[in-house]
Amino acid sequence: MSVRFGVFVPQGWKMDLVEIADPVEQYEAMTAVARAADAGPWDSVWVYDHFHTVPEPTVNTTFECWTVTSTLARDTSRVNIGQMVGCNGYRQPSLYAKIASTVDVASNGRLYAGLGAGWYEHEWKAYGYEWKEVPQRMGEFREAVEIVHRMWTEERPVFQGRHYSIDGPINEPKGVRKPHPSFWLGGGGEKVTLKLVAQYADACNVGAGDPDLIRHKLGVLRAHCDKLGRDYDTIIKSTTLELNPAAPMSETAGRVERAVEAGADYVILYIPRVAYDHEPMLRFAQEVIPQFS
């Protein structure tokens, strides 16, 4: 099975730009990673949708997700650009659909539009968003996914839900990729998220590289697909791995292989310190990616 690979750019969220003082130079360091990926065998580059750093909020750079996505779309020419994943609570879903459609055009159809329910309570409250418990966030997420999909596929969609409503919005252009921008849903919730993947999504992201968890979550997804009549094989099954630059590439390749054996067909890497040193990313591209082509 052929496996595709993506890589996160250093956006600041994981304190991965703190050694660069000037914000312009920080942005250029992020862009340089995207351009290096664009020149190589990578399928995609990725960003997070967060406002504050982890593991705790600090007064340091975190570049905004959709601004980054749109600029990287113009700074690259080949790779897809995605979010892992956009936070539903930060944008009304019809606006999200409009933004994504615009960026899909700006990138000439290279957008991987990611969406999830959100979880980072501190930044919700700090930015003035109402923090809601899991049942409400998941209820909103369920409605949002349907709205986004309908905004991309219907001329004047109408939807009246418990949390959101739309009344015939015109969303033109809808994007470049057909039949609509590539829709990636993040999270492994078995009753809501994975069912939504089977209903609406082009891709999922599960398991955080853990083979047992990947296998289990994809089994749940397959069951949802069977019940809904969706072809399981048409869905991209991605997982994320953090690369240890000090580890032998053979060890990293083994981790990828175990994830693939569990059912993943797409691997997205986070590479610490890639803002300062591209060598581990380039070495992975040369030594590991060809093994799974």
Side-chain angles (χ1 to χ4, degrees), residues 38-58:
D38 198 42
W42 302 90
D43 177 74
S44 57
V45 294
W46 294 83
V47 298
Y48 299 103
D49 190 9
H50 286 290
F51 306 139
H52 289 172
T53 60
V54 288
E56 62 183 11
T58 63

Side-chain angles (χ1 to χ4, degrees), residues 134-209:
V134 171
Q136 184 171 350
R137 275 185 285 132
M138 294 310 297
E140 292 179 356
F141 180 55
R142 183 189 289 110
E143 291 186 9
V145 169
E146 181 175 349
I147 287 172
V148 170
H149 189 267
R150 293 179 67 176
M151 291 278 292
W152 287 344
T153 57
E154 299 178 20
E155 187 171 299
R156 289 178 179 265
V158 175
F159 178 90
Q160 182 67 52
R162 180 179 177 185
H163 306 286
Y164 301 116
S165 64
I166 52 174
D167 186 16
I170 297 169
N171 180 32
E172 293 296 338
K174 289 180 167 53
V176 171
R177 198 189 297 259
K178 301 301 180 186
H180 52 71
S182 185
F183 203 11
W184 293 58
L185 299 185
E190 298 179 11
K191 295 181 179 180
V192 177
T193 303
L194 292 177
K195 184 177 181 181
L196 289 171
V197 171
Q199 289 176 298
Y200 298 109
D202 300 290
C204 63
N205 184 267
V206 297

